[in-house]
């Protein structure tokens, strides 16, 4: 949660200083807008433990992420803001090799999300929100002797905060997003704004 508030503070400072030279001209994500995000992310596996005398620690897990946001309430906060709701989907997998062995973490998530959008600078949509859904991870270890241990597929309630920015160029946008979950801590990608 501390990372989430730090991100919001940094985004606010950047946008406030940028707003001195360019004034906001309405909300960049107004009522009726539909945004489709497609991006690549990077998360962290929480699979780890002692195997003999060796500690196998956390490792990076690349992910593919998709989200759909629909702005259903607009003209808030001096007509520069809106509120959106939608859904998200993510899938990923990563491996960690050590002493001829391999740890594997495959993951999946699906849920709904909502966000507050605000335009500080023309064509720059800053947003923050909360996602709620379902998440499943699968952990395996493939040993150098050919044996495989399946450590199970724990399912969990997925709840996280997120904040990001869209730079909107007509019906196309690029985005970057930070999240308070190890599924995909950082994302970057493209958006289609309809």
């Amino acid at each position: 949660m501390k990372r989430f508030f730090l991100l919001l503070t940094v985004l606010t400072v950047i946008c406030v200083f940028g707003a001195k030279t360019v004034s906001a001209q309405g909300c960049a994500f107004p009522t009726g807008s539909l945004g489709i995000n497609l991006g690549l992310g990077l998360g962290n596996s929480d699979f780890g433990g002692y195997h003999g005398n060796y500690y196998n620690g956390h490792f990076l897990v690349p992910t593919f992420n998709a989200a759909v946001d629909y702005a259903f309430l607009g003209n808030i906060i001096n007509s520069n803001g809106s509120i959106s709701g939608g859904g998200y989907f993510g899938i990923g997998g990563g491996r960690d090799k050590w002493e001829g062995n391999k740890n594997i973490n495959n993951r999946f998530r699906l849920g709904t999300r909502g966000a507050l959008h605000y335009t500080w600078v023309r064509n720059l949509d800053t947003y923050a929100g909360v996602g709620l859904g379902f998440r499943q991870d699968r952990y395996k270890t493939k040993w150098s002797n050919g044996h495989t241990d399946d450590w199970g597929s724990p399912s969990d309630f997925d709840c996280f905060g997120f904040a990001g920015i869209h730079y909107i160029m007509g019906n196309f946008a690029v985005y970057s997003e930070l999240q308070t979950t190890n599924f995909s801590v950082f994302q970057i990608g493209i958006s289609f704004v309809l």
Side-chain angles (χ1 to χ4, degrees):
M1 202 57 134
K2 290 179 184 177
R3 288 185 283 176
F4 179 67
F5 288 114
L6 178 63
L7 169 70
L8 285 178
T9 303
V10 169
L11 284 174
T12 302
V13 169
I14 289 170
C15 292
V16 166
F17 285 114
K20 287 185 176 181
T21 58
V22 180
S23 62
Q25 301 199 358
C27 185
F29 199 72
T31 304
S33 295
L34 178 68
I36 302 169
N37 297 342
L38 301 172
L40 298 175
L42 195 56
N44 182 28
S45 175
D46 54 5
F47 179 60
Y50 284 95
H51 301 288
N53 294 326
Y54 179 78
Y55 177 75
N56 168 25
H58 303 288
F59 54 94
L60 296 178
V61 179
T63 59
F64 169 76
N65 303 280
V68 175
D69 295 306
Y70 178 75
F72 61 87
L73 178 63
N75 294 324
I76 60 173
I77 313 174
N78 297 326
S79 298
N80 290 327
S82 65
I83 295 177
S84 70
Y88 67 88
F89 167 79
I91 190 166
R95 299 169 188 254
D96 180 35
K97 295 179 183 177
W98 49 278
E99 296 181 0
N101 307 303
K102 239 188 270 186
N103 279 338
I104 302 167
N105 178 200
N106 294 315
R107 49 183 51 177
F108 165 82
R109 71 178 179 172
L110 180 69
T112 185
R113 69 189 222 159
L116 170 66
H117 299 257
Y118 190 79
T119 303
W120 299 86
V121 178
R122 188 177 190 175
N123 296 333
L124 187 65
D125 172 36
T126 56
Y127 60 94
V130 175
L132 302 170
F134 167 80
R135 173 180 172 169
Q136 186 170 31
D137 285 88
R138 182 171 183 153
Y139 304 110
K140 282 192 207 178
T141 300
K142 289 188 178 181
W143 303 97
S144 57
N145 64 9
H147 179 71
T148 299
D149 282 326
D150 191 340
W151 302 107
S153 301
S155 301
D156 203 357
F157 179 66
D158 194 28
C159 180
F160 60 94
F162 63 91
I165 54 173
H166 281 108
Y167 183 72
I168 300 174
M169 302 164 279
N171 289 339
F172 179 77
V174 292
Y175 82 95
S176 178
E177 191 171 294
L178 293 177
Q179 297 182 355
T180 62
T181 176
N182 70 347
F183 188 97
S184 182
V185 176
F186 174 75
Q187 291 181 35
I188 190 164
I190 58 171
S191 294
F192 301 96
V193 182
L194 310 171

